[in-house]
Amino acid sequence: QVQLVESGGGLVQAEGSLRLSCAPSGRTFSTNAMGWFRQAPGKEREFVAAISWNGGSTYYADSVKGRFTISRDNAKNTVLLQMNSLKPEDTAVYYCAASRYSGSDHYTSNEYNYWGQGTQVTVSS
């Protein structure tokens, strides 16, 4: 059974940092691009970041560029999202996803086949 499980969410003050982790199980995703999306209350799910199959390329939404870093360790079958300089507008449920593609330039939800259940990130002002 394929599962993606996010962890690392929580409550943090503005300008603080959090690191999210995605730990897929049931299969490996060493040939898949991986991504992070988020959904804030009352808003649609939006793209955050993506990373290519081998971690060689990354792609970020403008809203998080320079503050967030996506990385992966295929040997551990793990994807990370380091979030620095957090802002209240970063508050959302963050979702890990695996793409059917291998490259990093995928930013729409329908390009991803597998999804986690999300982890809550709350940034206080």
Side-chain angles (χ1 to χ4, degrees):
Q1 188 71 34
V2 177
Q3 299 182 54
L4 282 75
V5 180
E6 305 95 338
S7 63
L11 175 64
V12 64
Q13 293 182 340
E15 306 300 325
S17 298
L18 284 174
R19 185 176 66 185
L20 306 184
S21 179
C22 175
S25 64
R27 61 162 289 181
T28 62
F29 291 93
S30 60
T31 61
N32 301 75
M34 302 292 292
W36 288 93
F37 292 75
R38 67 186 182 186
Q39 187 167 20
K43 297 183 179 180
E44 295 185 343
R45 186 172 299 182
E46 66 175 348
F47 170 78
V48 175
I51 188 166
S52 62
W53 69 279
N54 63 351
S57 300
T58 57
Y59 184 73
Y60 297 93
D62 288 342
S63 59
V64 306
K65 193 175 300 181
R67 299 188 298 119
F68 291 10
T69 302
I70 187 172
S71 62
R72 70 189 300 166
D73 185 341
N74 285 347
K76 298 180 179 179
N77 201 28
T78 301
V79 182
L80 302 176
L81 183 68
Q82 178 67 46
M83 305 184 295
N84 298 326
S85 301
L86 284 163
K87 305 174 181 179
E89 51 262 45
D90 293 319
T91 296
V93 176
Y94 283 71
Y95 298 89
C96 176
S99 175
R100 66 175 69 92
Y101 304 105
S102 61
S104 65
D105 57 341
H106 304 286
Y107 53 88
T108 60
S109 296
N110 62 9
E111 294 178 296
Y112 291 80
N113 292 339
Y114 303 97
W115 294 83
Q117 292 186 314
T119 185
Q120 176 70 48
V121 172
T122 303
V123 184
S124 62
S125 60

